[in-house]
Amino acid sequence: MKQLCLSVLFVFFITLITKAAPGDVHIAIETRQTALVIRVDKDQSPTLVHLGSKLRNAAEYAAIPARGKRGEDYTDIYNSVYTPAGSRNLLEPAIQVTHADGNPSLDLKYIRHESQSMADGVVLTKVYLKDPQYPFEVTLYYKAYQNEDVIEQWSTIRHTEKKSITLHKYASANLYIPAQNYYLTHFHGDWANEMNPSEIPLTEGIKILDSKLGTRADLFQPPSFLVSLNKPAEEEQGEVIAGTLSWSGNYQLAFEVDPLHNLRIIPGINPYASAYSLAPGTEFTTPAFLFTYSDKGKGGASRSLHRWARKHRIPQGEGNRLTLLNNWEATYFDFNEEKLSALFKDGKKLGVDLFLLDDGWFGNKYPRNNDRAGLGDWQENVKKLPHGLGYLVKEAENAGIKFGIWLEPEMVSPKSELYEKHPDWVIKLANRSEYYFRNQLVLDLSNPKVQDFVYGVVNDLMTKNPTLGFIKWDCNAVIYNAFSATIQNQSNLYVDYVQGLYKVLDRLRAKYPTLPMMLCSGGGGRVDYGALKYFTEYWPSDNTDAQERIFIQWNYSYFFPSIASCNHVTDWGKQPIKFRTDVAMMGKLGYDIVVSKLTEEELTFSQQALKTYEGIKNIIWKGDLYRLASPYTNDVASSMYVSESRDRAVWFTYLVNSRYKAGSQAPIKLNGLDPAKNYRIRELNVYPGTTSRINTSTTTYSGNYLMAIGFNPQVDTRRTSVVLEVNEVK
Ligand code: GLA
């Protein structure tokens, strides 16, 4: 057995060590379609000479001219793979350091590289760099996911200087791309208004996207972007790079069009207030930057990221998810055992898998009856829940559904026993007045004792209630007055906080690998692939108005697969329940409504919709997404999900314009089908008492026809949302 394991390991981990040879060395990091090529010249300076389509013959990478150099590069390192500051560099650096002796310069020379083939078509390439004057080393890591066309890049930094050094900047990657023009799409917003896209041409100079919020870091903008080369991004055409940083803290994405009109992209942790002190003999690992290059526009890029995330990043990314009924908008803080028991029965009647008890169940000295008290005191409130959580879990199970719970374990209310007992566990400045975000403060997760506490909160809950089926992990405050009572170097705090959080989540995931956990941060304040390594799903926004959600979900879909998007039917907005349900179905369906207030028809519709969802959810969650008509340029938003074998698709179209005659006036061209297959189209989620205009026809269409000519889902002001199933006819 041992021998078998060793030989399997041998097959998977073939290590190729390549010594720097005289002359240029070429290191090709390749996926199925893409290549990133590093050239090392005789000076041992590593530069990036190609990022784009993979060549059939890798030997030809050596022939690529230094085409980025459309003029004079005074330094020869404008296209450095990891630009060191302070020596001959003139542009935005990837790394900036002050050595132990106070010297502020760095040079990085190529030492060697090696590649390892791992399981599932993943190849890890390491490029070792060193400063010729100092015992200071950087290793660049490139993990190439062959089948998904995604590259994950990060670096490690270590030194054996006499004392600690200061890292002023320590980016994750440093890309270099020559094109005629560059268009950056970035996303911005605020609470309940997440992910508004802006596309701008990049001109000479630097555009910085960043966060300085600490915890709820993505509140104003996420660390995710699209760069389109030569022309504005299109859905299914053109060269697009989609990039996203796996980091749940302060980040900086720098886009610099250099003096030669080439684009430099430098993503990483935000250097703001984060000069990092690194002791000799220790290693700093940057977060990973993930990117994909597509020559099939935004659609190609997002399909690659989705495939990658399902297979390699999100826990149970290719598994199942639970439908649920949440009580937040139904009760807010006002509930008791009786009310909850009734809700369990409602959930069962509706047909969901789980009941999720939201905020308000804890705190005794300072009961959590509003958002001004109780965070940190994770004991059941004895007035609301005299029999404790264990009783509720059983009650739910007796009603035939699972039970899940809301937590916000990184936070503390000033009015809490936790704050009284451990004021030194709280991030705050002793000589400044406390400043609150949603009436609360952040616990200092750089402190190992606080990490143990947060781990303990979840672990105790799970130990006492082993059948607890779901956790919603919230994070509603940013960091103000950043100061830790225990940390030595205050400027390490923002980074150590996130690393502390990941340590807690690593421990929890090691013990509870399959527990479904929702990532929430007052909505989408923390939607990034650093956090999504631990969470099975995320809450895109507290804004659940279905009309708004069409846009919010549309924009998240560039980066994150629908299996991870928690979409709840709620009472926000004025749309009929059919519209709300159809929109919520484009992801992981849930409910946050008062079931007992639904009319009979609404209830029947919802029960049927949940049954229908059961039959199509795997296509929505795991199929390829094609965005067919954008709500930004059409009366309708239209997207479809196609199964891997292209025999089934689910197609959603919604009206987003309420003007007279607004609707899908013409056929919409489908995508992703097999041109040679024949399909029949059937309408789903038909509201009780109405008839489908589509189901009356028995016509079959070839995939070729549906993709070249299209089909009109007949969305108009009387049919504001239409869900169609496209099934192969054999
Ligand atoms: C945040 C979440 C909501 C809800 C409340 C509870 O705002 O985004 O979904 O859980 O907290 O306080």
Side-chain angles (χ1 to χ4, degrees), residues 191 326 328 333 358-359 368 371 406 408 438 472 474 476 520-523 539 542:
W191 178 78
N326 187 191
W328 176 239
F333 296 94
D358 215 284
D359 196 355
R368 181 78 172 167
D371 65 13
W406 179 96
E408 199 180 354
R438 207 193 183 205
K472 174 176 176 183
D474 215 335
N476 280 304
C520 179
S521 187
W539 183 235
D542 277 355

Side-chain angles (χ1 to χ4, degrees), residues 358-416:
D358 215 284
D359 196 355
W361 58 269
F362 50 90
N364 284 300
K365 182 170 175 191
Y366 302 104
R368 181 78 172 167
N369 291 328
N370 51 49
D371 65 13
R372 298 183 174 274
L375 287 177
D377 301 345
W378 300 104
Q379 298 82 33
E380 298 91 326
N381 177 276
V382 290
K383 272 203 190 132
K384 287 184 195 171
L385 309 178
H387 297 96
L389 280 178
Y391 167 80
L392 283 183
V393 176
K394 285 221 180 68
E395 276 287 289
E397 284 167 0
N398 290 342
I401 57 175
K402 296 185 178 186
F403 183 85
I405 200 151
W406 179 96
L407 283 174
E408 199 180 354
E410 298 159 71
M411 301 287 156
V412 61
S413 302
K415 267 189 176 176
S416 67

Side-chain angles (χ1 to χ4, degrees), residues 15 39 77 198 295 335 375 386 419 432 448 504 529 573 586 598:
T15 302
R39 176 174 296 157
I77 56 164
S198 283
D295 59 5
F335 54 81
L375 287 177
Y419 186 94
R432 306 245 172 233
V504 172
Y529 277 119
M586 280 185 53
L598 294 177

Side-chain angles (χ1 to χ4, degrees), residues 629-688:
S630 164
Y632 291 96
T633 48
N634 294 280
D635 284 352
V636 297
S638 191
S639 297
M640 69 188 287
Y641 299 89
V642 185
S643 70
E644 205 181 337
S645 52
R646 300 198 276 175
D647 59 342
R648 286 183 79 191
V650 184
W651 175 19
F652 297 89
T653 308
Y654 316 105
L655 189 70
V656 291
N657 181 351
S658 55
R659 293 198 63 187
Y660 180 64
K661 280 203 166 172
S664 56
Q665 310 284 2
I668 296 173
K669 287 182 188 167
L670 276 67
N671 210 333
L673 299 174
D674 182 340
K677 285 187 161 87
N678 288 317
Y679 298 91
R680 181 163 295 145
I681 297 180
R682 202 169 71 90
E683 184 164 357
L684 304 176
N685 286 1
V686 178
Y687 199 70

